[in-house]
Amino acid sequence: MTKKYFLLLLFLIPASAHAQKVKIAGFITDKDLRPLEQVYVSQFNTSNGTYTNNRGFYELEVTPGDSLKIIFSSTGYQKHQYVIPKLTKDISLSVTLQEEDNCLAPVTVEGERMVTTVIGRIDYIADKRPSNPWNSIESLLATMGGVSSTNELSSQYSVRGGNFDENMVYVNGIEIYRPLLVRSAQQEGLGFINPNMVQTVGFSAGGFSAEYGDKMASVLDITYKRPQRFESAFSAGLLGGEVYTGSSTERFSQITSIRYKTLRSLLNTTDTKAEYAPSNLDFQTYITYALSPEWTVDFLGDHSCNKYEFTPETRETSFGTLTAPRTFKVYFNGRESDRFLTCQGALTLKGKITDNLNVGLRASAFASDEQERYDIEGRYLLQETDLTGEGKNPGLQPATGAYREHARNKLESDVHTLTHFGNLKTARNILKWSIGYQKEKTSGKIKEWEMRDSAGYSLPGTGTDVNVFSNLGSDNKINPARISGYIQDAYTVDTRVGSFILNAGLRASYWTFNEELIASPRGALAFVPARLKNLSLRIAGGVYYQAPFYKEFQRIVNTDGNNLIELNRDIKSQKSVHMVLGADYYFGRDIEKNIPPFKLSGEVYYKKLSGLVPYTVNNVKTRYTGENSSKGYSTGADVKLYGEFIPGADSWISLSVMKTGQDINGKKVPLPTDQRFNFALFYQDHFPGYERLKMSLRGLWSQGLPVSAPNKGYETGYFRTSSYKRIDIGFSWLISSEDFAVRRSPFCKVFKNVWLGLDVFNIFDMQNTNAYYWVTDVNNRQYAVPNYLTGRQLNIRLLAGF
């Protein structure tokens, strides 16, 4: 399809003599002729503007005159201007918008999309920002309302009281799976989503529609892009690098990327001095081919290899209070060696039967091979110091001892899925459906134990016997099948008071492991007032199930002093009933400075939880009890302000308040992800008159999380970690581009742009805790020694685009 925008005159209607106005009306579509809703259509240098409806239709009244300029803008699409030399009568003006070219050059995308659906578009978090110190979608997703992340080494996040397992991630309609054995953030490596390949980002923190699967918390819906022309870029720094390239012909397109990440420099800022050798390599490709004008086939593939080698030497941690400062010293021997291999691929055939009927067939597969091996022993000294932190308090007896940790864990999993999907469009409806068959195969072997010895005594002791402090073993295999599907309809009606958009659907699934059938009705209603088009209101809700997937139904039983994992075949899906009220309001548009409006968004929610499987969290390891023995709730409110505080640089602020609770066998305790407040900021700036130097800042501040003693649930007692506080800042300098004279250099002519970046992580060197190591003295008293996260660290990056 040609990239030129076209003008179609359908009819001429005499202008009203009383209003002295003429109308410009038409349809806005993308390159595939699909209607685009909430495109902002405005008259240049005036406050006169309107939005397209869900059919892509708009109608704008203007005063007749010479040389009118009409602006079309929408998130994720290139801004378009159309000049009408002389306008005297009503005309029809239809436009095709081209997708934003996400090259490495600085791009400003306006976040003006009004939320009238259950999934909000937040494409701006995928923009290429050379000054952003964290080049990942998850790092900026953590700054959205209702989302929390308290570990900078991990891509995991929690949403409105749910843990990471309760979040869904889709890339081009394919559900993404993650390794199950990961115990610490250092092992995790790269997240699946590659920012350089992203075209659009959709996110819902609750109340999402039936087309998304059986999880209780949130959905992140990513669409990878199809390049319109050749593009390529590379980046390299102290934390890793990336090379990607994209190309396109009339029928074929591909985008391919290789990423490498190492956290060695960041890990060296922790209390444990060791030989760290983390290595994370990821290869992804997305290929599309047009079989005909109506039918296309595409392939999405990923291969990831995460290795973690760890040889600890010493550790010294200072903690406690001003009146009771403590020091914990450990001398280590041993090493840890972990490997996590994952492969995921999907082949999709889709096409048009008619102009309104689209169908598709997708076959996907996921495989993982995970190994965790460690033998580490340590001799420790826990003592109280004086107020200076240097001398020792002679009145208090120090705790000394030794421990040894051993593990030989292995897990293999395979998931194969075949899915049919389709949609049918009518004048006011969009009907969607899908049905799929999924075969799951998982085998896991766990053999781990820990021994502790304090002052020559093995703990716990039973007379003359010597026992390990804790142990765990398993050898389980499952091979179940899952059938799932949904049907949903989106209906739009325009009235005098405004536009109503109704989305309603039903999702159902059956799992052969526990022979459980679940049905999940979901719905949402949005309203845009006719007299106040910069405001949208919505209500959403439904029944959401957390279908078990291996981890949730592992139950620990004690047999002759040994802890064994058995699979609970009576496990049922956890249940959550959502109710969400939301609104979006646009204000403060500055026409003279060409600044888009600010967007103020807010949601209040309540989630009733039942059939919960209680769990504990240590670092990023989630350990479930394997039984539906709890019920609870989560309620709160999220507010976010988005806009260009500095012209040409978008920023946002979010604030969330939340209260959660659960009842475990009559004991009322908070959920493990309970945080009463969460504040996040992402801010961009540049030096006035010198836009080649840019800055990005990300700040997080949230309440600490509940923590329980090891091998104990929260119902036996808990306390909270200190609040999580962190600020990262990044600077970038454009040293070469098409707009600067340095382009005269033959070497620089190879590149479209070259950036040099400097990042300062944790600029104020704040100490944050994500877990504790528990030390036991001879009297069997336990002390919680904080495991601090990373400190201040510098990073240098070079980024170049071709």
Side-chain angles (χ1 to χ4, degrees), residues 37 115 121 147-148 203 219 250 257 269 343 487 499 521 523 544 559 603 614 629 656-658 662 699:
E37 66 172 322
V115 179
R121 287 283 293 274
V147 185
S148 175
F203 179 72
V219 58
E250 184 176 352
S257 174
T269 65
C343 297
I487 183 170
S499 298
Y544 299 82
T559 304
E603 286 189 342
S629 58
S656 300
V657 293
M658 178 181 67
Q662 61 176 330

Side-chain angles (χ1 to χ4, degrees), residues 486-717:
Y486 78 89
I487 183 170
Q488 76 174 36
D489 185 35
Y491 177 75
T492 302
V493 58
D494 297 320
T495 68
R496 290 184 178 181
V497 298
S499 298
F500 293 88
I501 302 96
L502 175 65
N503 184 299
L506 176 67
R507 184 175 191 87
S509 68
Y510 176 79
W511 195 33
T512 61
F513 180 81
N514 60 357
E515 299 181 347
E516 181 187 28
L517 174 66
I518 56 177
S520 175
R522 308 172 188 178
L525 177 65
F527 172 64
V528 180
R531 297 182 178 273
L532 197 60
K533 292 186 177 294
N534 57 342
L535 173 69
S536 70
L537 306 171
R538 61 189 176 278
I539 180 173
V543 179
Y544 299 82
Y545 288 93
Q546 179 80 14
F549 188 81
Y550 195 69
K551 289 171 62 175
E552 291 92 329
F553 54 91
Q554 295 185 82
R555 180 171 55 191
I556 298 177
V557 295
N558 189 282
T559 304
D560 299 328
N562 294 313
N563 293 321
L564 302 177
I565 293 178
E566 68 174 16
L567 303 182
N568 180 12
R569 291 189 173 272
D570 295 324
I571 194 74
K572 299 298 181 184
S573 297
Q574 303 175 81
K575 182 180 178 181
S576 176
V577 179
H578 291 198
M579 179 59 70
V580 182
L581 297 174
D584 295 288
Y585 180 68
Y586 297 85
F587 65 96
R589 185 179 182 92
D590 192 328
I591 299 299
E592 294 181 357
K593 296 182 179 180
N594 196 28
I595 296 178
F598 286 88
K599 177 182 177 181
L600 180 63
S601 303
E603 286 189 342
V604 295
Y605 62 91
Y606 178 81
K607 298 196 293 188
K608 181 181 179 181
L609 312 172
S610 60
L612 296 181
V613 180
Y615 63 92
T616 57
V617 179
N618 184 15
N619 203 311
V620 298
K621 181 69 173 181
T622 302
R623 177 74 70 186
Y624 293 88
T625 63
E627 296 180 345
N628 303 96
S629 58
S630 174
K631 61 181 179 180
Y633 69 91
S634 175
T635 184
D638 308 320
V639 179
K640 185 182 71 175
L641 177 63
Y642 171 91
E644 292 186 2
F645 300 94
I646 302 298
D650 57 344
S651 305
W652 58 89
I653 303 172
S654 68
L655 174 65
S656 300
V657 293
M658 178 181 67
K659 187 177 187 302
T660 72
Q662 61 176 330
D663 186 328
I664 306 176
N665 298 324
K667 184 69 173 181
K668 298 184 183 300
V669 294
L671 291 173
T673 53
D674 179 73
Q675 291 176 307
R676 298 300 171 86
F677 70 89
N678 187 30
F679 175 81
L681 164 71
F682 183 79
Y683 181 76
Q684 292 190 100
D685 200 354
H686 54 76
F687 281 72
Y690 214 67
E691 297 185 2
R692 294 171 61 187
L693 181 58
K694 297 182 180 295
M695 181 274 292
S696 293
L697 181 147
R698 188 192 74 153
L700 300 174
W701 178 33
S702 58
Q703 185 188 29
L705 297 169
V707 176
S708 65
N711 305 314
K712 301 289 185 181
Y714 296 98
E715 67 274 17
T716 62

Side-chain angles (χ1 to χ4, degrees), residues 258-303:
I258 299 177
R259 294 182 293 168
Y260 176 77
K261 179 181 179 181
T262 176
L263 294 174
R264 180 178 300 180
S265 60
L266 276 178
L267 294 174
N268 284 330
T269 65
T270 62
D271 289 341
T272 301
K273 305 308 176 186
E275 293 183 10
Y276 293 100
S279 175
N280 314 116
L281 186 65
D282 176 81
F283 171 83
Q284 287 191 29
T285 185
Y286 177 53
I287 302 171
T288 65
Y289 182 75
L291 301 174
S292 69
E294 292 80 20
W295 290 87
T296 61
V297 61
D298 61 65
F299 173 77
L300 174 65
D302 171 80
H303 176 76

Side-chain angles (χ1 to χ4, degrees), residues 359-405:
V359 296
L361 185 66
R362 176 182 297 119
S364 63
F366 167 80
S368 70
D369 183 359
E370 309 170 36
Q371 295 183 15
E372 185 182 41
R373 301 167 61 91
Y374 58 82
D375 278 291
I376 297 176
E377 63 179 30
R379 297 186 177 274
Y380 63 82
L381 171 66
L382 175 65
Q383 59 185 1
E384 289 199 13
T385 62
D386 58 20
L387 292 177
T388 65
E390 298 179 357
K392 299 176 178 59
N393 190 338
L396 296 174
Q397 180 180 3
T400 62
Y403 69 89
R404 182 174 181 179
E405 297 176 338

Side-chain angles (χ1 to χ4, degrees), residues 204-235:
S204 173
F208 42 89
S209 60
E211 63 185 295
Y212 299 104
D214 294 310
K215 295 290 182 72
M216 294 196 303
S218 72
V219 58
L220 178 63
D221 192 356
I222 302 293
T223 302
Y224 277 1
K225 63 183 177 181
R226 298 180 181 181
Q228 302 300 309
R229 61 187 69 86
F230 175 79
E231 59 182 64
S232 184
F234 79 88
S235 63

Side-chain angles (χ1 to χ4, degrees), residues 226-257:
R226 298 180 181 181
Q228 302 300 309
R229 61 187 69 86
F230 175 79
E231 59 182 64
S232 184
F234 79 88
S235 63
L238 299 179
L239 298 181
E242 176 181 5
V243 177
Y244 89 93
T245 181
S247 61
S248 178
T249 64
E250 184 176 352
R251 304 178 66 177
F252 173 83
S253 71
Q254 67 82 28
I255 184 166
T256 302
S257 174

